[in-house]
Amino acid sequence: MRVPMTTSGAAKLRAELHELKAVARPRITAAIAEARSHGDLKENAEYHAAREQQSFAEGRIADIESKLANAQIIDVTTLAASDKVVFGSTVSLSDEDSGEESRYQIVGEDEADIKERKISFSSPIARALIGKSVGDVVEVRTPGGLKSYEIIAVSYI
């Protein structure tokens, strides 16, 4: 199954993969060799810690490679500009009750980071927004109850 991902999300994963393969893997291998040289492996905490780090790094490498292999990478800058909300678009919203404005980019699940104002396409708010246009009002069921937002702008950056 192909999983949507933005080009910036794919670039971040590729950078992390490079870091793991080029920096972390050799460092961990050297730590294992150093710990091995200290003798008895049964009671060697450094050896076991290094092996645990190796296991984590190799698991993360496999995870990233799998995600990239199954990704459908979407370059939002090549999308035809419109006022319709689609995967990768950045949406400006106005809370119907408070008038407070917010802005989110709809991204893949692995890219979602609320601090960076990036929400997963599978989140309730993104599902409510996708397919709608500027001027539309969407209702989203949140833990605090039903919220209404007006879409005030859509951009593809």
Side-chain angles (χ1 to χ4, degrees):
M1 181 175 94
R2 306 295 278 171
V3 179
M5 182 180 296
T6 63
T7 51
S8 63
K12 282 183 180 179
L13 282 180
R14 285 190 194 102
E16 182 182 352
L17 183 62
H18 176 73
E19 174 76 16
L20 285 167
K21 285 182 168 183
V23 179
R25 193 184 258 169
R27 180 181 43 77
I28 293 167
T29 302
I32 289 171
E34 173 69 24
R36 251 193 202 131
S37 70
H38 294 147
D40 185 14
L41 298 181
K42 286 183 183 175
E43 297 180 20
N44 189 330
E46 289 174 18
Y47 174 77
H48 293 291
R51 290 291 300 196
E52 193 172 304
Q53 283 181 344
Q54 181 183 41
S55 175
F56 175 78
E58 294 302 325
R60 184 66 182 146
I61 287 169
D63 184 44
I64 292 171
E65 287 175 339
S66 172
K67 286 176 182 178
L68 288 172
N70 294 318
Q72 176 186 0
I73 299 171
I74 298 169
D75 184 354
V76 296
T77 61
T78 63
L79 299 175
S82 77
D83 65 351
K84 192 171 204 165
V85 179
V86 297
F87 177 87
S89 59
T90 300
V91 185
S92 296
L93 304 170
S94 176
D95 185 312
E96 291 280 280
D97 296 328
S98 69
E100 186 177 316
E101 291 188 11
S102 52
R103 185 176 156 131
Y104 300 102
Q105 182 181 18
I106 300 172
V107 297
E109 290 181 2
D110 294 315
E111 305 169 75
D113 183 349
I114 197 66
K115 291 179 200 139
E116 291 184 27
R117 314 298 274 158
K118 294 181 177 188
I119 58 173
S120 168
F121 69 94
S122 63
S123 69
I125 191 164
R127 287 196 317 253
L129 291 169
I130 291 175
K132 303 293 191 290
S133 300
V134 172
D136 288 351
V137 174
V138 297
E139 289 190 343
V140 181
R141 188 163 307 283
T142 68
L146 203 59
K147 289 278 217 174
S148 294
Y149 297 98
E150 180 182 356
I151 301 171
I152 53 177
V154 177
S155 60
Y156 302 89
I157 48 175

